[in-house]
Amino acid sequence: MDAGGDNLAGQEESPPDAVNQGTIRFRGATLMFGKSSKVALLHKVPLFRDLSRRQLERIAGLADELDIPAGKRLATAGETGQELFVIVDGHATVKVGRGRTSRLGPGEFFGEMSLIDGGPRSATVEAAVDMKLLVVGRREFWSLLNAAPSLGLKIMSTLSRRVRDAEATVSA
Ligand code: CMP
């Protein structure tokens, strides 16, 4: 991953795709990389819709693209978590407690809670179908918010909704 920097100002300065793309294996999944293809991908994700090209280029340097098979567990309640996931394609099942489940689809994200407070995962999340995700590590998460502060507001708003949801589950 690259932490961004002065060389991100213009498209011309991005390395050609031939030397900037490839695939590697990551935790049983295929990970693909390539900044310009990632910018195109980011552009399609509603969470990033209002961001500038420059912001998308910075985020492309912070996020990795993952293809995940159906059934793969992406977060386990009670365990530590080091990543934020943004769903590009497919959907995930979130086991939110008391047997209740919630479904997250394209443009939605999960894993923000553990990154924000350093606590364990609040829920178990599994790929319900084959999925394409963007994954952002703990350190890159803060750089992401720095690159695009408006994302912080969107994340806070979603987080409030999830807390209300959890409280409603507890008091039901
Ligand atoms: P985190 O606690 O890091 O890991 C599990 C994730 O599940 C959590 O972050 C949220 O992103 C997500 N999550 C928790 N509760 C809900 C909910 N009620 N609805 C949707 N997603 C949730």
Side-chain angles (χ1 to χ4, degrees), residues 75-150:
T76 304
E79 292 191 357
T80 53
Q82 304 295 337
E83 302 103 355
L84 168 79
F85 299 92
V86 181
I87 301 174
V88 178
D89 284 323
H91 54 269
T93 303
V94 185
K95 296 177 183 169
V96 287
R98 296 197 171 198
R100 278 188 61 230
T101 59
S102 180
R103 201 169 113 131
L104 298 177
E108 295 184 289
F109 57 85
F110 58 92
E112 77 291 350
M113 292 187 181
S114 291
L115 291 197
I116 289 169
D117 70 359
R121 294 296 196 198
S122 61
T124 293
V125 185
E126 286 175 1
V129 296
D130 290 351
M131 300 182 77
K132 185 181 285 294
L133 301 171
L134 290 162
V135 58
V136 178
R138 177 176 292 282
R139 193 183 313 152
E140 289 77 16
F141 178 63
W142 300 109
S143 303
L144 178 82
L145 297 183
N146 198 26
S150 63

Side-chain angles (χ1 to χ4, degrees), residues 18-168:
V19 297
N20 197 28
Q21 290 191 335
T23 63
I24 59 171
R25 300 289 293 168
F26 174 74
R27 291 170 67 178
T30 304
L31 187 152
M32 299 185 291
F33 55 93
K35 189 175 277 182
S36 54
S37 65
K38 256 191 278 165
V39 169
L41 196 67
L42 289 167
H43 194 64
K44 289 195 288 183
V45 178
L47 179 67
F48 302 123
R49 187 169 286 151
D50 302 331
L51 302 182
S52 68
R53 169 96 197 170
R54 186 186 165 87
Q55 286 174 312
L56 292 179
E57 286 185 352
R58 279 198 69 192
I59 293 171
L62 300 169
D64 288 318
E65 198 180 321
L66 281 179
D67 284 320
I68 297 289
K72 185 161 179 70
R73 184 173 286 199
L74 297 159
T76 304
E79 292 191 357
T80 53
Q82 304 295 337
E83 302 103 355
L84 168 79
F85 299 92
V86 181
I87 301 174
V88 178
D89 284 323
H91 54 269
T93 303
V94 185
K95 296 177 183 169
V96 287
R98 296 197 171 198
R100 278 188 61 230
T101 59
S102 180
R103 201 169 113 131
L104 298 177
E108 295 184 289
F109 57 85
F110 58 92
E112 77 291 350
M113 292 187 181
S114 291
L115 291 197
I116 289 169
D117 70 359
R121 294 296 196 198
S122 61
T124 293
V125 185
E126 286 175 1
V129 296
D130 290 351
M131 300 182 77
K132 185 181 285 294
L133 301 171
L134 290 162
V135 58
V136 178
R138 177 176 292 282
R139 193 183 313 152
E140 289 77 16
F141 178 63
W142 300 109
S143 303
L144 178 82
L145 297 183
N146 198 26
S150 63
L151 288 181
L153 292 175
K154 290 184 179 176
I155 291 171
M156 276 196 276
S157 155
T158 300
L159 188 53
S160 307
R161 193 158 25 85
R162 289 176 180 170
V163 171
R164 286 182 201 281
D165 198 39
E167 281 179 356

